[in-house]
Amino acid sequence: MEQFIYYLKVSLISIRRAPLPYALTIFILSVGLGVFFANATFYYQLNSDPLPEKSDKLFFPMLNLVPYECSTDCRTPRVLSYSNVEKLSQTDIPSQAAAMYSADGYLRQRADQTPLPVSIRITQRDFFAMFDVPVLHGSIWPDNSARPEVILTKATAQKLFGKSDVVGEKLLLDDRNVTVSAVLDDWQMLPRLYDANNRNHLSEADDIYLPLETGYDMNYLSNSQSQTFDDTDYRQLSTQGRTGALHQLQYWVKLDTPAQQQAYRQFMTNLVQDEKAAGRHPSPPNNQLVAMRDIVSYFGGDSSDIKAFALVTLLFLLVCLFNASHLSLNRYLSNQYEFSLRRALGASRSQLQLQMLADVLIMALFTITGALLTGYGGIKLMNNLLPANRLFSDWDLTLLLGLLTVAVICSYLVTLYPSLRASFGSLNQQLKE
Amino acid sequence: MITLTNLSKIFRTELIETHALRDISLQINEGEFAALTGPSGSGKSTLLNILGTLEQFDDGDYQLDGKSVKGLSDAALSKLRNEKIGFIFQSFNLIKDFSIYDNIELPLRYRGLKPAQRKQRIEQALELVGLHARRSYLPSQLSGGQQQRVAIARAIAGQPRILLADEPTGNLDSLMARQVMELLEQINQQGCTILMVTHDPDQARRAGRHIQIIDGQLSDAVLYDPLAAQSA
Ligand SMILES: Nc1ncnc2c1ncn2[C@@H]1O[C@H](COP(=O)(O)OP(=O)(O)O)[C@@H](O)[C@H]1O
Ligand SMILES: [Mg+2]
C-alpha cells in the first residue's frame, strides 16, 4: 500500500512536470465522455424498463373499431373511443384495467386567486395500483364512477397549500368545485410508458388526477392525441364524446398469466366479430395487444434520429480518444528516459505497470469528474433545447456504474498504449547519451 | 565474478548491421577496479549495458557469479540489476524534480525494503558521498560534481556487488573529476567491484586493471597501453 501511494505521488509529480498537455488530455476526454454520457443517459432512460416485475403483464389493447373503411393505411389507431373502452371493459379477464388521457386546466383555492396551470391525467381507479403509484395521504377513488374528487401530487399540494396533507380540502378546477381525496408521494415513471404516444416518454408526471367520467362530464379534450371519425362536437364531450367516434383514450389491462392473455385476445377477436356483424367495423380486423415491455419498439417508428445522434456521439468519443491518446503518447515519449532509468535501477516490468496503473487511476479520477460535469451540463442543455423530450438528470446506480466503467476504460486506453510503447522501447538508448 | 565467453552483439537497423561487439572473452574478478578505454564508437557503452543486463547479446555467454544470465525472465533480470549492479552515467541521470533523498531512494523502492531500512541505507550513502546536509535539495541546486556524487550514492545505496560507470567524469572539470575518482576508489576498497569507462589516461592508470576495446574487439591492454610504455 505504502508503495502504491508512492506510485501515486510519482504520477502526480510527472503531471506537475507538464500540466498543460495533461490538462488538455483530460479536457478532451471529459468533453468526449461528457457528450457520450448525456446521450447514453438519454438512451438508457428511453430504453429502460420502469416496471420490470410487471411490464410483461400490462397490456395495451388496440382495435380497428372505427366507423370508416381504411384504404391505404390500415394501422390500428393508438387511441380508443369511449364506447370502444366500454366494450373492452365488459369482461373480468383482466385483474386491473384503466383508461386515461391528459388535459390542461387551471386550479385555485378561491375565485379571487391567480389560478395555477396544471396538467391533468384523467383516468380510472386502477391506474394507481397498475403503475405502482405511491399514495401519501388519503385514498384512491373506490370505483370508476364520476365524482368531483381530485388526487394531487405532493408537489402540487405543496404549491397550493404549502403542505402535503390536504385531503378533504376544496379546490376550484377550471372554476368547478372539487375535493382533494388523496395526495401522491413523489413518483416518476421513467420512461413514462403508460402514456403510450411515443412522444412524452421522458416528460414529467401530471400534476393532478381526475376520474375519467368526471373528465368527460367536464368536457375535457385530450391535449396529446385525439382523432374524430365523425362530427362529434368536442364541446359536447359529456354527451357526444361518450357515444361518438372521438378517439382519445389510452387503455391498459393487467393480464397476469398467459392463459389470461390468450383469453383476452380471444375476447377481442369475438368482440370485433360481433361489431363487424353489426356493421360497426367496416375495416379489416387488426387487433393488437402489446405488452408494456414491447410498447416502445411497437411504436418505435421515429427513433432513427436518436440512433443517428447516438452514433455521432460515439464517433465523437472515438475522435476524442484518439486525440487524447496522441497527447498522452507525446507525454510518455518525453518521459521515456525516465522509464529507462527506472529499468536500469532495477524496476521490473510489473513494477512499471503498477506505476502505469497509478497513472490510470489518477487520470480516471480527473476524467470522471470532468466527464460527469460535462455530461450533467449536456443534459441540462438538452433539457433546455428540447423541452418536449425533457430529460431527467438522474443517474441511477446501474447507469452511473456503467458510465464510470466507460470512463475508466477510456482512461486506461489513453494511458496504456502510450506507456507500453514508451516502456518497451530500447532500454539503454536514452541513458547512453 | 563476471565471465564473458565469445560474446557478440550486432545492432540491426533496416539499412545496416553494426557489429558493436565481436567475440569478447573477458574475466573480471571480485574486488577489481578495471578501466575500460577505447575510441568513440568502439563498443564500450554497449559492453557496459550488456554487463548491466540492460541490453541483450547475440552470441556467446555471460555468467554473473557463475550463473548465465541467458534466458532469465524480466523479473529475474530486474532483481539482479536491482540487487547486484549499480549504474553511474556520464550525464548523471538524476530525476530533476525529485529531491536528492528521493533520487537515492529509487532503487531501494523497487527492492521493496521497509521504510526504516531504506532510510538507513540512504543516510549511509549520503554520508559516504558527503552530501548529508543537502538531502532535500533538488539536483539542479547542486554542482555537476555533487550531482555525480548523488548518482554514486544512488548506485551504492543498494550495496551492489559491481558498479558499472560509463564515463562518470566525462562532464566534470578536473578537480571534481578527481573527487569522484577518489570516491570510487574508496568504494572499491570497501570491496565493490568497479568497471569504469574512461578517456582519461590518468584515471586508467590509477585503476588496477586496464581493458582496451577497439572496433568491438578486446586488444591486449598491456601490449597497447601507451601509459605503460611511457612509465617503463
Ligand atoms: N541502439 C543502437 N542501434 C544501432 N547501433 C547502435 C546502437 N547502440 C550503439 N550502436 C552502435 O554500436 C557501436 C558501439 O557503440 P557504443 O557502445 O555506444 O560505443 P562507445 O560507447 O564505445 O562510444 C557504434 O557504432 C554505435 O553506432
Ligand atoms: Mg559510450
Side-chain angles (χ1 to χ4, degrees):
Chain A
M1 196 57 219
E2 194 246 349
Q3 185 66 12
F4 197 71
I5 291 172
Y6 173 77
Y7 288 141
L8 289 174
K9 208 180 86 190
V10 171
S11 299
L12 286 175
I13 288 178
S14 90
I15 292 169
R16 219 171 45 200
R17 211 170 283 162
L20 225 62
Y22 192 80
L24 194 62
T25 314
I26 299 287
F27 176 75
I28 290 176
L29 262 188
S30 299
V31 170
L33 280 168
V35 171
F36 176 78
F37 277 18
N39 190 249
T41 306
F42 189 68
Y43 213 80
Y44 175 82
Q45 294 191 336
L46 208 60
N47 290 304
S48 61
D49 188 340
L51 291 175
E53 291 90 45
K54 45 162 91 166
S55 63
D56 58 343
K57 302 191 175 81
L58 297 175
F59 286 86
F60 192 72
M62 287 170 277
L63 302 172
N64 224 352
L65 187 47
V66 289
Y68 87 106
E69 186 164 4
C70 72
S71 49
T72 49
D73 182 12
C74 287
R75 269 192 308 176
T76 315
R78 292 172 186 183
V79 276
L80 300 165
S81 69
Y82 183 92
S83 58
N84 283 171
V85 168
E86 262 189 330
K87 286 164 188 164
L88 279 173
S89 313
Q90 278 159 12
T91 168
D92 54 4
I93 300 169
S95 54
Q96 289 165 342
M100 68 179 100
Y101 67 106
S102 60
D104 299 311
Y106 286 95
L107 201 58
R108 52 181 155 183
Q109 275 180 271
R110 292 183 313 271
D112 57 350
Q113 284 177 323
T114 329
L116 178 73
V118 286
S119 68
I120 317 167
R121 183 137 301 261
I122 297 167
T123 186
Q124 294 175 313
R125 182 198 60 183
D126 286 350
F127 175 90
F128 303 91
M130 262 173 125
F131 301 116
D132 292 350
V133 190
V135 179
L136 187 61
H137 301 292
S139 54
I140 303 300
W141 317 304
D143 54 45
N144 284 340
S145 51
R147 59 185 76 238
E149 290 178 7
V150 292
I151 294 169
L152 304 185
T153 61
K154 194 166 142 191
T156 310
Q158 300 271 10
K159 242 185 255 173
L160 285 166
F161 299 98
K163 57 177 182 168
S164 61
D165 191 0
V166 296
V167 173
E169 296 280 354
K170 306 262 183 272
L171 283 169
L172 291 170
L173 175 59
D174 289 319
D175 291 334
R176 280 162 296 200
N177 289 307
V178 290
T179 312
V180 178
S181 59
V183 177
L184 303 179
D185 208 348
D186 291 324
W187 174 68
Q188 172 67 58
M189 186 196 281
L190 201 65
R192 214 177 57 158
L193 293 184
Y194 60 82
D195 191 1
N197 63 19
N198 201 35
R199 285 188 294 118
N200 294 324
H201 286 168
L202 298 175
S203 52
E204 275 173 73
D206 300 284
D207 302 316
I208 74 166
Y209 295 80
L210 189 69
L212 187 79
E213 299 301 332
T214 314
Y216 269 74
D217 288 345
M218 291 186 176
N219 294 322
Y220 279 115
L221 187 71
S222 167
N223 63 0
S224 59
Q225 46 184 4
S226 64
Q227 286 172 282
T228 30
F229 298 95
D230 57 12
D231 52 3
T232 302
D233 181 354
Y234 57 85
R235 286 162 301 187
Q236 309 282 319
L237 214 63
S238 57
T239 51
Q240 296 178 25
R242 283 188 161 107
T243 51
L246 171 74
H247 286 238
Q248 65 171 2
L249 293 177
Q250 302 170 342
Y251 189 53
W252 286 94
V253 290
K254 184 154 180 273
L255 303 165
D256 298 297
T257 63
Q260 273 175 301
Q261 291 153 23
Q262 187 48 45
Y264 198 76
R265 275 205 175 82
Q266 188 57 53
F267 163 75
M268 287 170 75
T269 309
N270 296 343
L271 171 67
V272 164
Q273 266 168 17
D274 288 352
E275 291 293 310
K276 267 195 107 54
R280 291 191 294 258
H281 194 309
S283 299
N286 188 6
N287 295 346
Q288 301 292 340
L289 188 65
V290 183
M292 179 180 255
R293 188 164 284 187
D294 308 318
I295 201 85
V296 171
S297 62
Y298 179 82
F299 287 141
D302 50 1
S303 65
S304 59
D305 47 343
I306 292 174
K307 280 196 186 119
F309 189 59
L311 195 71
V312 168
T313 46
L314 209 65
L315 284 178
F316 183 65
L317 178 61
L318 283 181
V319 170
C320 288
L321 260 181
F322 184 81
N323 274 308
S325 57
H326 195 78
L327 275 172
S328 171
L329 178 62
N330 282 343
R331 206 169 79 83
Y332 276 102
L333 286 183
S334 66
N335 279 349
Q336 194 170 21
Y337 131 84
E338 206 186 303
F339 273 103
S340 306
L341 176 65
R342 289 173 187 280
R343 296 282 280 151
L345 298 179
S348 65
R349 288 216 170 102
S350 46
Q351 282 170 324
L352 284 186
Q353 270 154 20
L354 274 177
Q355 180 68 61
M356 288 172 216
L357 196 69
D359 291 0
V360 169
L361 222 73
I362 289 183
M363 171 159 286
L365 213 69
F366 283 124
T367 308
I368 284 170
T369 316
L372 287 183
L373 287 177
T374 329
Y376 193 78
I379 288 169
K380 288 269 168 251
L381 188 74
M382 275 163 87
N383 279 348
N384 280 331
L385 293 181
L386 305 166
N389 259 341
R390 251 184 69 74
L391 180 66
F392 290 88
S393 41
D394 291 354
W395 278 318
D396 68 16
L397 198 65
T398 324
L399 180 63
L400 202 60
L401 285 180
L403 296 180
L404 295 190
T405 311
V406 172
V408 170
I409 289 174
C410 286
S411 310
Y412 191 66
L413 288 178
V414 162
T415 312
L416 181 76
Y417 167 69
S419 57
L420 282 184
R421 242 193 80 174
S423 67
F424 281 77
S426 166
L427 262 184
N428 53 69
Q429 206 50 33
Q430 290 79 22
L431 300 175
K432 275 194 207 168
E433 272 102 51
Chain B
M1 88 176 289
I2 284 176
T3 312
L4 300 182
T5 34
N6 308 109
L7 184 129
S8 304
K9 171 71 184 175
I10 303 172
F11 286 109
R12 291 189 177 83
T13 59
E14 291 105 39
L15 291 177
I16 46 160
E17 286 192 351
T18 313
H19 288 259
L21 296 174
R22 299 168 205 257
D23 215 17
I24 304 262
S25 293
L26 177 68
Q27 168 100 29
I28 295 172
N29 297 315
E30 182 102 51
E32 271 193 298
F33 190 152
L36 182 60
T37 62
S40 179
S42 55
K44 304 181 297 291
S45 297
T46 304
L47 180 59
L48 227 58
N49 281 330
I50 288 175
L51 292 178
T53 73
L54 287 178
E55 193 128 54
Q56 310 279 316
F57 49 91
D58 295 288
D59 284 314
D61 195 22
Y62 165 22
Q63 294 197 334
L64 183 61
D65 282 337
K67 269 183 243 132
S68 173
V69 303
K70 244 188 174 152
L72 286 184
S73 69
D74 176 72
L77 284 177
S78 305
K79 190 163 148 59
L80 200 144
R81 267 201 297 280
N82 186 275
E83 291 178 358
K84 292 196 173 171
I85 300 168
F87 275 101
I88 305 167
F89 310 93
Q90 179 175 355
S91 50
F92 322 141
N93 282 336
L94 299 175
I95 296 182
K96 60 180 188 304
D97 39 20
F98 274 31
S99 71
I100 302 311
Y101 187 95
D102 290 343
N103 263 292
I104 299 174
E105 193 187 29
L106 272 174
L108 306 179
R109 277 282 175 182
Y110 292 120
R111 193 181 296 193
L113 291 183
K114 297 247 157 52
Q117 286 175 301
R118 288 201 302 265
K119 186 160 188 285
Q120 189 212 339
R121 292 206 183 185
I122 298 167
E123 308 254 309
Q124 257 175 14
L126 276 168
E127 208 69 68
L128 183 74
V129 301
L131 288 170
H132 202 269
R134 314 256 153 113
R135 57 215 295 278
S136 52
Y137 282 39
L138 288 176
S140 59
Q141 293 169 302
L142 300 185
S143 74
Q146 288 171 326
Q147 287 187 45
Q148 192 59 299
R149 271 150 56 198
V150 173
I152 292 172
R154 179 178 64 189
I156 59 160
Q159 298 171 349
R161 306 270 310 284
I162 180 160
L163 210 53
L164 300 171
D166 198 345
E167 304 188 41
T169 59
N171 285 358
L172 302 178
D173 67 30
S174 56
L175 178 67
M176 288 183 171
R178 212 169 55 232
Q179 286 178 348
V180 164
M181 196 56 199
E182 277 162 12
L183 189 55
L184 289 177
E185 280 167 350
Q186 195 186 338
I187 291 164
N188 177 243
Q189 272 152 26
Q190 290 172 4
C192 185
T193 312
I194 296 181
L195 181 60
M196 175 181 75
V197 173
T198 181
H199 284 301
D200 183 343
D202 245 6
Q203 287 181 7
R205 195 169 33 213
R206 281 172 72 165
R209 181 175 171 196
H210 184 189
I211 302 164
Q212 185 161 305
I213 185 166
I214 295 174
D215 250 349
Q217 283 175 301
L218 290 185
S219 49
D220 191 328
V222 182
L223 269 182
Y224 292 96
D225 188 353
L227 306 167
Q230 260 176 26
S231 59

